[in-house]
Amino acid sequence: MIMKRQGNITTILLCIAISGFLIVEILLNLTPPISRDALIHHLAIPKIWLKHGGFYEIPWADFSYFPMNIDLLYLIPLYFNNDIVPKFIHFAFGLGTGLLIYNYLKNRFDKNWGLIGFLIFFSTPVIIRLSTTAYVDLGMTFFTTASVLAFVRWRDDGYRNAKWLLLSAVCIGLSAGSKYNALIAWLFLNLMIVFYYSRDTENGLGAFKSGAVFFVIALLVVSPWYIKNYILTENPIYPLFDQVFRFLHHAGENGANIAGTAERRWTSGVFQRREVMFGESFLETLFIPIRMFFQGKDASTQYFDGVLNPILIIMVPFAFLTKNLNRDKIFFLLFSVFFLFMAYFLTVVRIRYILPVVPFLAILSVIGIKNVAEWADKKSGIIRRAALIGIVAVVTAFVAFNFLYLKNYFNIVQPVKYILNQETKDEFLSRHVGSYPAMQYINENLPDDVRIFLMFLGRRGYYLDRPYYHERSFGMNTINNMVKASANKHDFQAYLQSLDCTHILMRTDLVNKYLHDNFPEKTIFRFLDLVKEYWKPVYESNGYAVYKLPLPIYFNIS
């Protein structure tokens, strides 16, 4: 009776904690989107598609070639001029992943351990942040987690129930159709299907057939995006490995140069980049997979642009104190290590890019906590009480860390004024998006047939209702070419004409800093003299400026 009462009290406390996080995140989601990649990509590209009445190639935005399963869902609310619902769609994927964790742990242990797993996952700072954005990472993570758990179910059923293999394949296909990072999980699962089936059944042919079925079904699910990219760029996974695909298609032309460029890019790996960019030593870079759990910071490229919780790695070793669920534990650990390793070398080091490992580290952490609690419960007297109090204190402290993160994040966003209509949408956005007033000016004062070039705005164009474009270097290449052309007035005019735009929207402090960091004063003065002659300022506020290029521009806006 006492144990049952304690279990019920624990359930109530866990539900209260989870509800607290959910309520605060719902409040944050009731505000207009302000997150970086939503304004660059996940809402901006669907908005452009809607403006053109359907799919529309956008060659100046390399990310528009990424698979966009989740972004397609955002098209529906955007069609009805609602950009808050996409945040709730992404939130729902985070919630769904938490429920998958809960269901796994509840079935293996009981509901309280499931709730602890849900809480550890859903309250992790990077999950909190992403649950309040219109991104795609949580969608990829949901489908990846579902795929892995479906494979585990198929394996546990003795490879007899094919529906779990089919479900696993469909889910990994949906995941790969949401973000390229899921290709790592796809590779791992395909290898593990062949390996486990062959080892457990001693049927090599059956293992090969199962792996082939898994691969083909996943490929069919994701293939529309790959076919589109191949037709447009001759690279099904553009812009990934584009130099390699160019080499394959043009080996007889300048293949040697292309291959050389690809090789140089490959060899200038993570160690060289981190040393050049941040002055990190070999050992500091080597231990990044561990540092990510302790040193993460939002909006910091050096510190992985996100925040994890140390409990996700500290408690994992304790999961292996017992042999219970060893097959699952080893599989989850192998998946996490493989994904971390591959992401470490193949992508920029960001916490969002390793997100699929978080659900499985959360599961392993819960098993570790359970093992420590059971070990402590077998002791007697003061040792038992001290050990039990200690493990409860550790878990509480790490959850409190997540709560403090949410509190600080809530204070930064300050959503209540907007929700209570004490602040307009324009006022809210002006607080959080520095370029919004300039974009508002463009939307309200410039004609429909203008074309805006974004310079040093981080490519954030979602709130522009006029045609715009930008470049991958954020405007640095354009500035370089302008400065070079400024040696001759005619060349400068010709270069402005070639930009194919009527206006430039720029962040002035970054442009000035770039000029002074990269060019001598004499060259800067020469360039600025021509800017004064040919660029007409029409708006400037809050460090952002709009310039009109008073030249005859000939282009087709449609």
Side-chain angles (χ1 to χ4, degrees), residues 163-462:
K163 74 176 183 181
W164 294 110
L165 176 64
L166 300 181
L167 177 62
S168 181
V170 169
C171 286
I172 203 64
L174 291 171
S175 182
S178 303
K179 192 164 185 170
Y180 281 136
N181 299 57
L183 292 173
I184 300 172
W186 184 359
L187 172 63
F188 176 84
L189 279 172
N190 238 135
L191 293 173
M192 289 299 102
I193 283 169
V194 176
F195 171 76
Y196 273 95
Y197 192 104
S198 177
R199 189 195 65 177
D200 295 345
T201 66
E202 298 182 351
N203 181 352
L205 181 60
F208 176 79
K209 287 181 178 178
S210 296
V213 167
F214 182 88
F215 179 81
V216 170
I217 292 174
L219 185 61
L220 287 174
V221 172
V222 74
S223 62
W225 299 112
Y226 295 170
I227 293 169
K228 171 187 76 75
N229 282 353
Y230 187 82
I231 292 171
L232 296 175
T233 69
E234 296 185 325
N235 176 357
I237 53 174
Y238 183 85
L240 298 185
F241 305 112
D242 195 45
Q243 298 290 347
V244 175
F245 281 96
R246 281 200 221 171
F247 171 67
L248 294 175
H249 287 293
H250 306 287
E253 302 168 19
N254 58 344
N257 290 335
I258 294 172
T261 302
E263 184 179 356
R264 286 192 296 274
R265 288 188 177 184
W266 177 260
T267 54
S268 61
V270 62
F271 293 97
Q272 292 90 339
R273 289 198 305 270
R274 300 287 297 191
E275 182 181 12
V276 170
M277 293 174 65
F278 311 119
E280 289 186 356
S281 67
F282 176 83
L283 283 177
E284 285 177 310
T285 303
L286 185 66
F287 282 98
I288 280 176
I290 305 297
R291 292 170 54 206
M292 293 174 84
F293 292 88
F294 297 89
Q295 294 183 316
K297 292 182 182 178
D298 290 326
S300 170
T301 304
Q302 180 175 4
Y303 295 110
F304 327 121
D305 191 25
V307 182
L308 289 169
N309 190 308
I311 197 173
L312 292 170
I313 193 169
I314 289 174
M315 296 308 302
V316 167
F318 296 101
F320 296 89
L321 286 177
T322 67
K323 293 183 178 180
N324 185 34
L325 295 176
N326 248 11
R327 287 218 304 175
D328 288 3
K329 292 185 295 189
I330 291 172
F331 185 73
F332 295 157
L333 183 64
L334 285 174
F335 173 81
S336 301
V337 170
F338 181 86
F339 201 101
L340 277 168
F341 179 82
M342 295 293 287
Y344 176 74
F345 285 106
L346 293 178
T347 68
V348 178
V349 183
R350 284 185 179 159
I351 284 172
R352 280 192 296 120
Y353 297 169
I354 63 153
L355 208 64
V357 310
V358 175
F360 301 103
L361 294 180
I363 289 173
L364 291 172
S365 297
V366 170
I367 297 174
I369 294 167
K370 184 176 185 295
N371 286 344
V372 172
E374 289 178 346
W375 171 85
D377 198 43
K378 292 176 183 176
K379 302 299 177 182
S380 59
I382 192 170
I383 296 177
R384 177 179 180 275
R385 287 194 296 273
L388 289 174
I389 291 172
I391 189 62
V392 171
V394 167
V395 175
T396 303
F398 284 125
V399 172
F401 171 86
N402 296 345
F403 175 78
L404 288 174
Y405 175 89
L406 179 60
K407 176 178 176 291
N408 292 333
Y409 180 37
F410 189 86
N411 289 337
I412 290 170
V413 177
Q414 298 179 29
V416 176
K417 286 184 179 180
Y418 174 80
I419 294 170
L420 297 179
N421 291 321
Q422 296 173 356
E423 183 178 48
T424 66
K425 179 179 179 179
D426 291 339
E427 290 170 340
F428 176 84
L429 289 172
S430 296
R431 274 200 296 119
H432 292 286
V433 183
S435 59
Y436 182 77
M439 293 185 178
Q440 190 179 18
Y441 172 85
I442 290 172
N443 295 337
E444 294 176 354
N445 295 278
L446 298 188
D448 292 339
D449 61 350
V450 299
R451 182 173 168 90
I452 314 296
F453 176 67
L454 306 185
M455 187 177 290
F456 287 83
L457 258 70
R459 303 194 286 185
R460 297 170 178 86
Y462 170 71

Side-chain angles (χ1 to χ4, degrees), residues 12 32 50 56 85 120 134 142 231 310 360:
I12 292 170
L50 287 171
Y56 176 75
V85 169
I120 288 176
F142 171 79
I231 292 171
F360 301 103

